[in-house]
Amino acid sequence: MNRTNNRIILLFTLFIVSFFPTASSQTPAIENLEKELAAHNRIDTTRVNLLNKLGYELYAIDSGKAGEYAQEAQKISTRLNYPAGEAASLWVTGLIIRNTPKKALEHFERALSIAERIKDPTSICNYLLAISSIQKAMGNIKASDEAIEKGLQASTVLKNPDIRIKLLYNSATNLTSKGQYLQGIEKLQEVINLSIQSNNKIMLAKAQSSIATTLNRQGDPLRALEYYLKGLRIYEELNDRRGICGLLINMGNIKSEQKEHEAALNDFKRALQLGKELDDPYLISACYANIGNIYKRLHHPDALHYMQEGLRTSAGINIGLSVNLLINISCIYIEQEKYDKAQENLTQALGMAQQAKIEHAHGEILRLLGTLYYAREQYVRALDYANQALQTGRKINYMELNKHTQKLLADIYEKTGDFKRAYNAHVLCKQLNDSLLNEKNIRRMALMESSYKYEKEIQKYELEQANQKLQIRNQRYIIFFLISATLLIIILTTQLYRSSRLKKKVLKLEVDQAKRKLEYSQKEMTSATLKLIQNAECDSYCIKMLENLEKEDDEEKHKRIRSLINYYKSKSTYANWREFETLFLEVNTSFYDKLNERFPTLTNNERKLCVFLKLNMSNKDIAQITFQSEEALKKRVCGYAKKWDWSGWTIWQESYKTYKRNCCFSLLTCIATISCNTATASSTVVTSFTTILRLLFCSRKSQRRVYFII
C-alpha cells in the first residue's frame, strides 16, 4: 500500500512540473522590456503588447507586478478596441491566478473566444495549451485531451514549432498518466526529435524527465535516474530553478523507492528551498507531501505534520495532489488506529476524487475504506467497499488496484469463514501479480526499444552540439587570427607612415637649412658685389686723381705716379677679386666646372668676365671693377669672340663696329648663362639670341654680310 501511495505522489508531481511554461530568471529580458515601456509613453497597441510581454515574463517571479501590467493592458485594449491585446491580458491574468484553477480557466476560455473570433492561430494554440494544463491540474484529463487535439489542429498552419512541441508534450504526459505508456513514449519521441531540430533545450529536458518517469513506472529506476540526471544538467545549464526543483522531486521519489531515504530527503529539502524562493505553492506542497511520505515509511513523528502542511498549501490549487495527501494522511491514522480521523479524511478525499473524476484515486480510496472497516472488524461494510474498489479497478483496467483489492477480499472472506471465496481471491491475486509481472516485462521491452532509439537521437544531438562547438571555437580562432593580423598590419603601416613622415621632416629641414644657407650666401655675395663696386669706384677716383697729376710736366714725378697707379690697380683688383670669387663659388659651386667643360680655351680674364655677366652686371660696373673704359671692354670682348670654339655653331660677322661689338658682347652673355645651368638659363639665352638677331637684321641689308654655318 505504501508503494502504491508513493507512485501516486510521483504521478501528481509530474503533473505539477508540467502544468505551465517553465519560468526561469530572465532579468536582462525584463530589464529591456521595462526600458522600452518607460521610453514609450503613447497609449497605443505597442504599449499594450509591451505590458502583456512584461506580465508574462513576471507572472512566475513577481505575480503582483505582473498583475498590474496585465490590468493596465486590459484597460487600454478596451479603450482602443484592441481584441488581441485584451485576449493576451486575460491569458496573462489566468497564469497569474493559476492557484485558483476555476477562475484561471474562465480567463483562458475568454481569451480563447476572442482569439477564435479574430482568427489568430498562434494565440489560439497558446490559450488551448493553458486550458489543457489547467484541466489536467483539476483532474479533467478528457477535457485536457480535447484542448490538446484542438490545439494540434490549429498548429498545423504555424511555422513556429515550439507551440506544437508543448502541445505534443502535454498530450504525451496525459497518455502516460492514463497508463498508455507506449503511445505516450511515441509522442515523447516526437517531442524529442522536434526539440533537437529547433534547439529547444527546455522541452528536451522535459521530455527526458517524462521518459525517466515512465521508466520508473515500468520498474527500471536506475535508468530513470540516469535520464533525470540528463534533464537536470540541461536545467542547471539554463539556470532554470523551476525545472531543477521538479527534477529533484522526481529523483527523490526514485531514491525513496530504493530505500535511500537520506539521499531522497536531501533532494526533497533542496527542492523545498527552491520552491520557497520561487514562491510556488505547487512545488512547495509537492515537497511537503514527499517529505511526509518518507517520514511515514520511517515511522517518523513529523510525517503527519509535513503532510498536513502540504495539504494546507495545495488547498484550492491542485485537487489531485490534495486527494493524494488526504489518502496518505488517512493511512497514517489507520496505522495509529485513529479510525475516525482516517474515515473523515477518506470521505473528504472520496468526494474530491468523484468531483474531479480521478478514477484511480477513487478506486484507492474505496480500497482504503474497505481496509479501515476490516480493521474495525465491520466485515460487511468492508466487503461492500472492496467490491466497489474492484469494480472501479476493472473499469479503468487498474491491475495494481485489482491485485491489492483481491488480497483484501481474501482476508475478509477468511475472517467471515467463506474459505472457498477466500481461496478464489488468493488465486486471482496471484494471477494478477503474475500478469503484472508479464505486462511489466512486455512494457519494459517495448520501453527499452524506444529508449534505444531515443539514446541514438540523443547521441546524434550531442555529436551535433559538439561539432557546433568545435566550429564555433575554430571560427573564434580564425577571427582572433584575422584581428591580430589586422592589428599587426595597422601597427606596421603606422610605423612606416611615421618613419616616412619623419624622413620627410628631416629632408625638409635639410632643404630649408640649405635654402637658408643659400639665401645667406646670396646676401653675402650681393653685399660683396656692392662692396666690390664701391671699392672700385673709390679706387677709380683715386686713380683718376693720380692720372691728372701725371699730366703735369715733371717727368720723374710722372714715372713714380705711373708706377704707383699700376701697383695700386693690380693690388686692389687682386684683393677685391679673391674675396668676391670666394663668395661667388659658395653660391655657384659648379660654375667653373661647367664653363671649362663647354669652353676649355677660356682664359682667367675671360672666365672673370663670365662671372660678372652671370651676375647681370652692367658694362659700366664691369669696366669700373676692371679699371678700364666701356669701349675698351667691348673691344676686348670682340677679340675674345674671334678665338672662341662654339660647340654646335659659329658666327662670322662683317659689319659695322658698333654692331660687331654688341653682337660679341651678347654672345659672351650666352656663354655665361649656358654655363650656369640655372632656371633662368633658357630665358636668358632666348633674350641674348633675340638681341643678336635684332642687331644683325635690323640694319640695312647692304651694310652687312652674315653667314650661318650649322
Side-chain angles (χ1 to χ4, degrees), residues 160 232 352 366 387 413 549:
N160 185 5
L232 183 63
M352 294 171 67
L366 292 172
N387 286 325
Y413 286 137
L549 290 173

Side-chain angles (χ1 to χ4, degrees), residues 150-271:
K150 193 174 178 181
L152 288 172
Q153 291 177 4
S155 68
T156 55
V157 299
L158 299 178
K159 295 181 180 180
N160 185 5
D162 291 338
I163 296 176
R164 184 172 180 82
I165 291 172
K166 292 177 182 178
L167 288 166
L168 286 171
Y169 175 77
N170 276 22
S171 177
T173 55
N174 282 359
L175 290 170
T176 56
S177 67
K178 292 184 292 187
Q180 300 175 14
Y181 300 119
L182 294 178
Q183 297 91 326
I185 288 172
E186 289 179 0
K187 287 285 181 69
L188 286 172
Q189 190 64 48
E190 189 175 354
V191 171
I192 290 169
N193 294 334
L194 290 174
S195 299
I196 292 173
Q197 292 175 9
S198 62
N199 197 26
N200 193 331
K201 293 184 178 181
I202 289 290
M203 294 310 301
L204 178 62
K206 285 188 174 184
Q208 288 175 330
S209 177
S210 296
I211 287 179
T213 303
T214 307
L215 284 168
N216 187 54
R217 290 177 183 173
Q218 296 301 301
D220 196 350
L222 294 179
R223 291 192 69 194
L225 191 61
E226 180 183 347
Y227 280 101
Y228 277 136
L229 288 171
K230 288 181 180 180
L232 183 63
R233 282 196 293 269
I234 295 176
Y235 283 130
E236 287 177 344
E237 179 186 347
L238 300 173
N239 193 26
D240 188 338
R241 294 185 295 171
R242 187 178 299 276
I244 294 170
C245 184
L247 286 188
L248 285 173
I249 293 173
N250 291 338
M251 290 168 62
N253 278 312
I254 292 177
K255 294 174 183 178
S256 177
E257 289 180 0
Q258 299 300 311
K259 298 182 180 181
E260 297 179 8
H261 301 304
E262 290 297 327
L265 279 174
N266 290 333
D267 288 341
F268 292 143
K269 288 180 179 180
R270 184 184 169 191

Side-chain angles (χ1 to χ4, degrees), residues 497-623:
Y497 176 71
R498 289 180 178 176
S499 179
S500 177
R501 286 191 62 185
L502 183 61
K503 288 181 179 179
K504 287 181 179 179
K505 285 183 179 180
V506 172
L507 182 62
K508 187 179 179 182
L509 288 173
E510 291 177 353
V511 171
D512 292 341
Q513 187 176 2
K515 284 182 178 179
R516 286 195 297 270
K517 186 177 180 180
L518 181 62
E519 290 175 357
Y520 177 77
S521 299
Q522 288 176 345
K523 290 179 180 179
E524 289 288 324
M525 189 181 67
T526 302
S527 177
T529 304
L530 293 175
K531 183 179 179 182
L532 181 64
I533 294 171
Q534 291 174 357
N535 290 337
E537 289 178 352
C538 182
D539 293 342
S540 179
Y541 177 76
C542 293
I543 290 170
K544 283 182 180 180
M545 293 294 292
L546 290 172
E547 288 175 347
N548 291 330
L549 290 173
E550 187 184 6
K551 293 178 180 179
E552 296 180 2
D553 294 336
D554 193 349
E555 186 177 353
E556 188 64 29
K557 185 175 69 172
H558 292 171
K559 290 182 181 179
R560 288 196 298 270
I561 291 174
R562 173 55 54 187
S563 175
L564 181 62
I565 289 172
N566 293 334
Y567 174 78
Y568 191 78
K569 282 183 179 181
S570 62
K571 186 71 176 177
S572 177
T573 302
Y574 178 78
N576 293 335
W577 170 252
R578 300 306 297 176
E579 182 182 355
F580 176 78
E581 188 181 35
T582 302
L583 293 172
F584 176 81
L585 292 176
E586 287 183 1
V587 179
N588 305 279
T589 54
S590 60
F591 179 78
Y592 280 163
D593 295 335
K594 293 178 181 179
L595 190 65
N596 292 330
E597 182 181 351
R598 298 190 181 187
F599 305 100
T601 60
L602 294 178
T603 64
N604 290 333
N605 289 331
E606 291 169 351
R607 284 196 293 270
K608 187 185 297 185
L609 186 58
C610 288
V611 170
F612 294 145
L613 294 173
K614 167 66 177 71
L615 297 175
N616 293 323
M617 295 176 66
S618 64
N619 294 344
K620 182 181 177 182
D621 292 335
I622 297 172

Side-chain angles (χ1 to χ4, degrees), residues 50-70:
L50 287 172
L51 289 168
N52 285 326
K53 286 179 182 179
L54 270 171
Y56 178 76
E57 295 289 342
L58 289 168
Y59 84 88
I61 303 171
D62 190 346
S63 59
K65 200 170 183 180
E68 293 176 3
Y69 287 135

Side-chain angles (χ1 to χ4, degrees), residues 70 94 147 158 161 347 394 404 417 445 494 504 537 563 598 685 704:
L158 299 178
T347 303
R394 288 173 177 173
H404 291 294
M445 290 176 64
T494 305
K504 287 181 179 179
E537 289 178 352
S563 175
R598 298 190 181 187
V685 170
R704 60 176 174 79

